Amino acid sequence: MELPTQTFRVTRADLVRYAGASGDFNPIHWSDRTATKVGLPGVIAHGMFTMALVGRAVAAWAGSPDAVVDFGVRFTRPVVVPDTDEGTEIVVSAVVKEVTEAGLTRLDVTATCHGEKVLSQARATVRTPR
């Protein structure tokens, strides 16, 4: 069973706010000059910010954040965030892989940006809503 797709807009302003909250002020997250100098296509979103957005989708599907029992991902591709008002979008989808007798639902999660997967092995286990 497929769960409803969720879309998250990411702008440079979001990256600045996340940097302030996380303390990660690495210039690859705000400076095109630095990002391209180290071989990136441009400013990229923090990996943990991307994971947090996907976690927000999982919590919404589960019905509440405390229903998320386990959540893990591998980062495969950076999310490039252009210096525009629109920024970019991360699209998150999931498929129910299993519902256990113990009342847990296992999800395979997909996150894409411009049609390209940005995470691999993205999986979550949530308490099955009753």
Side-chain angles (χ1 to χ4, degrees):
M1 173 174 104
E2 289 189 31
L3 298 176
T5 299
Q6 297 183 54
T7 302
F8 299 92
R9 180 161 306 283
V10 180
T11 66
R12 294 272 178 103
D14 295 319
L15 302 184
V16 170
R17 285 189 286 274
Y18 184 82
S22 69
D24 181 353
F25 293 99
N26 187 322
I28 64 171
H29 302 303
W30 54 268
S31 168
D32 281 306
R33 188 179 71 239
T34 300
T36 56
K37 186 176 180 180
V38 299
L40 294 167
V43 165
I44 63 170
H46 303 75
M48 294 305 291
F49 180 60
T50 302
M51 186 176 179
L53 294 175
V54 175
R56 184 187 299 175
V58 170
W61 290 319
S64 119
D66 65 350
V68 179
V69 175
D70 188 47
F71 173 52
V73 306
R74 291 202 182 198
F75 303 104
T76 55
R77 183 177 310 259
V79 173
V80 179
V81 181
D83 191 10
T84 64
D85 291 340
E86 297 79 29
T88 195
E89 288 184 339
I90 298 173
V91 178
V92 186
S93 59
V95 175
V96 173
K97 293 312 270 182
E98 178 186 17
V99 178
T100 71
E101 289 182 22
L104 299 176
T105 301
R106 291 196 172 86
L107 306 175
D108 280 354
V109 182
T110 301
T112 61
C113 183
H114 297 290
E116 301 270 349
K117 283 187 179 184
V118 296
L119 302 175
S120 69
Q121 299 180 26
R123 297 184 182 101
T125 303
V126 300
R127 280 190 217 86
T128 305
R130 301 195 189 270

